Each structure stands twice: as C-alpha cells, then as structure tokens.
Amino acid sequence: MSDPRVRPLLRELGEEYSTRYGKDAHSELARYPDEEFTTPNGGALLLLLEHGEPVAGGAFRRYDENTAELKRIWTHSAHRRRGFARRVVAELEREASARGYRRIYLTTGPRQPEARGLYLASGFTPLFDTEADPETIGPLPFEKHLTDRHEDHLAARHENHDSDPARTDHEDLASLKVVPTRHYARWAAALAVLVLTVQFLHGLVTNPVWQWEVFGEYVLSETIVTAVGVTLQLTAYSMLLGFALGTVLAFMRLSASPVLRTVAWTYVWIFRSIPMIVQLVFWFNLGALYRELGIGIPFGPVFWSVSSNDLIGTIGAALIGLTLHQAAYCAEIVRGGVLSVDRGQLEAAAALGIPRLRQIRRIVLPQAMRAILPTAGSEIISLLKGTSVVYVMAIGELFYQVKVIYGRNGMVIPLLMVATAWYVFLTSVLSVAQYYVERHFARGAERTPPPTPLQRARRLVANRRAAAAQRRRPAAPLGGGHE
C-alpha cells in the first residue's frame, strides 16, 4: 500500500465515494490497516499496469479462515469500459484460490450500479433481494465459492508446470490481448456523414450566392435586434398566459363535473382544429364582428362599452390568438403529466387530511413536471418559431422585418440566413435551459443526477492534469505502510 503507484487508486476511490455518497471517504478507506493487504496477513494487492502506469487494481483481505474479502476494486477514470475491472476481479479470484481460500465475499455501495453489474457478470451470488430498492438495503453483499475452481486451478497449474515449469498463471493472464469489438458498418456510416457535412460546409463558405458580407451587415443591425425582442415578447407572454389557461383547462377536464369536462374538451377540440393563422386573422378583424365590447346585465342594459379596435390593438390581437391556440395544447400536456402521477399518492394524501389544493400544489404538480417538461419545452420552441405567422398582421417581429428588408433590396438568401441564425441561436438557448430545468425536477427520482456536460469536461481536465503530474514527478510514499 505504500508503493507510489497505489496513490491514484486511493485518490480516485476517495473522490468517487465522496461524490456519490456526499461524505468524506477517507474514514472508510482507513477502516482497514494497510497490513491486512499484505501476504503474511493473508491479503494481496494487485495493480494492472499499461506502459508502466496503473490503470486498474484491486485487493483482498482475510475475512475468515476460508474466506477472502475483495476491497479497493478500481479502474482509472480515463481507461474505463475496456474490461479491466473484470480482469482484475478474475486475477484476484485466482490468487485467492491459490492461497487456499474457498470463498470470496464482498460488499458494494447502493449507489454503484456499475459495480453491482460487474459482480453479477463475474458470477457472484447476491446475498440480498435484487428487486428491492438498493437504498433500503445499504451495502450490497455478494459471495462466490471457489472450492471447485481451486481444484481445477491446481490441476491446470500442475499440468502447466509439467510441460513448462517457467510458465506461471500470471504470465498466462498477462499474455492475453484485449481486442475491442469492430464496428465496420458504424465507421462507414460515420465517414459518409462526415463527408456530406464537410461538403455542405464547403458549399456554405465558397458559394457566392450566400453573400456572407450582407449577412454580417444585417445580423446584428438595430432593426433585426429590435425585431428579435418583439419575437421574444410574443413568445414569453403567449406561453405564460397559454400555460396558465391550459392548466385550468387540464384540471377542468379531470374534474368530476360533466359541465366543466365538456366545456374544456370542446375548447381543446375547437382550438386544435383551427389553424393558427386563421385564428390570428380572425382576432385581427374582431372589430368587423363586434364593433363595441361592453359590461352590463346579460340580455339587458350595457353600463360601460368601448370600441373593439381601441381595446384590442394589433399586438393584443396577436397575443390573444397565440395564447388561446397554445392553451389548447398546453392543457393536454399538463393533463398528461398529471395522469402520470400514481393515483395512490393522492389517496394517501387524502387519508392524511391534506386539502385538495395543497395536494395538487405540493404532491401532484412537482411529480408531474418530469412528464410535462420534455413536451412543454418542445412546445415553447415551436411557439418561438410559430410567432413568425404574425407577419400577416404586419407586426414587426423577426420574420416580418427580414421580409421587409429583402423586399426592399432583393437580397433574399442572406436575409433568410439572418432569420435562420437568430432562430437557431434562440432555440439552442431554450434547449439548454430545458436541460437544466428537467435536471432540477429529476432530483426526486435520481438521488445522484448525472454530471452536466460542463462538470464532465472539468472532471476530464482534472483527471488528465492529475495523470500528467503523476508522470512528471513520483509521489512520496504513503504513511502507515511497510516499505
């Protein structure tokens, strides 16, 4: 354990445990003295080296007279998915069998599914209920009996020594060559895609019709940036109002009242049947149908009235059309998310006396968000692009302004690329935001969410720096061991 080459093993094991279990792992690693992993005390520590550098390792200690306990199973983070862990476990089994052990025992943490899969694939027998939630069990125990393997091992070893006494089991294992699976069809498809991509990019750069100088002139011009702001306002207001109305409609459809269910179903049916552009034109011409809007007694006198054209302007008509159209789709998105929540949770909440409104707010909606968010994110992105339809109302959003400019100067292609670039940028920002919002609401189902791309990149850089530093200067021997 004092060998400097063991240092990466201990460091990465400590980082791994601390990340997964949220506590310092040094106390766990220090539970067993280094002497327990030495040969005189019935233990062993193995490292798998590649070009002189440790890439995997493992150890065992004496658990009882007939049992060895595996510990410290490790694969370097830069060399995983190469079968090294199984190779280390197999060699530890052979070494334990050669030393007379008849059984191997080990435990792994409940938040290490890859370790659990490794031991199951290596023929270990789980000593726990595999159908239960691992978090309710704690450390997951495994065992494997080596009696038959020990006898076979001695016989094979005797034969090998008779034929070639210099050949050992370690040499047999070291002579094996790990050959990765070849995926020729995948490589051919990837090459074809790369060729087409490079050809497309070459056309973008060399084809003079794109007129990139015109693109650069207009992409950040004041007129275009102002139009982008109008597009974002239409998207934000319409989506907020659409989801607010859609949530109400969703719970109306889930209501026990047949009147509310019928009204909500009829609304969704009508507004999903009529194209958005038809609805926008209708609301734009509302003044032709109702010249005045007022407040009064139904079928009686009107106390207050105002001209429809004065009350609902162009932007107002666009917001009404977009909101009512989106509400129909948002209602179905929310309803689907609510239906995905286990009915038994509502029954349990009702049995505890939790009020109905609080059940919805604190129990149903937080869980429904996992089912709502993926579709809702796509709907928001679709609405962002769908706001281009309001050009028929002469509202100065992004597509309308681009259309006005290329109608004046005749440069259609570069101006369309300006609009395309802005739509791609905005949808990319929304996609990133959707990823992090989904990750936030997945905390209840995933106790340890997977790292974000930024976290993966930082961890990769840190691992590479640590490996480079380890190669440049040898670490000092660890204390507590025997030289």
Side-chain angles (χ1 to χ4, degrees), residues 13 61 70 94 99 127 159 205 224 246 284-285 288-289 307 348 350 374 387 426 439 481:
L13 283 178
R61 56 181 286 272
L70 296 194
R94 294 162 66 92
R99 297 191 185 187
L127 303 178
E159 292 178 3
V205 174
I224 295 298
F284 185 65
N285 293 281
L289 183 62
S307 171
T387 54
L426 295 175
R439 191 172 185 271

Side-chain angles (χ1 to χ4, degrees), residues 89-167:
V89 171
E91 181 63 13
L92 288 171
E93 290 180 30
R94 294 162 66 92
E95 187 68 25
S97 179
R99 297 191 185 187
Y101 288 111
R102 300 293 184 269
R103 175 175 173 264
I104 288 183
Y105 174 79
L106 63 90
T107 59
T108 187
R111 300 181 186 177
Q112 294 169 263
E114 63 275 46
R116 172 178 171 172
L118 166 66
Y119 300 132
L120 289 174
S122 300
F124 282 79
T125 302
L127 303 178
F128 58 92
D129 183 5
T130 57
E131 300 297 327
D133 182 3
E135 292 285 347
T136 64
I137 300 173
L140 309 179
F142 292 84
E143 71 169 1
K144 191 173 189 179
H145 293 278
L146 301 175
T147 304
D148 297 336
R149 290 172 51 88
H150 177 62
E151 296 173 355
D152 295 343
H153 167 79
L154 292 179
R157 187 171 184 175
H158 180 70
E159 292 178 3
N160 288 337
H161 276 277
D162 288 344
S163 61
D164 186 1
R167 187 173 183 84

Side-chain angles (χ1 to χ4, degrees), residues 22-33:
K23 58 184 179 181
D24 186 15
H26 295 290
S27 59
E28 172 64 24
L29 293 175
R31 283 180 58 190
Y32 305 101

Side-chain angles (χ1 to χ4, degrees), residues 370-392:
R370 293 193 67 226
I372 291 173
L373 282 172
T375 313
S378 298
E379 193 64 26
I380 294 174
I381 292 174
S382 177
L383 176 62
L384 172 70
K385 298 179 292 183
T387 54
S388 59
V389 179
V390 302
Y391 83 93
V392 298

Side-chain angles (χ1 to χ4, degrees), residues 295-310:
I295 299 176
I297 299 175
F299 310 107
V302 177
F303 303 130
W304 176 84
S305 63
V306 64
S307 171
S308 298
N309 292 329
D310 294 337

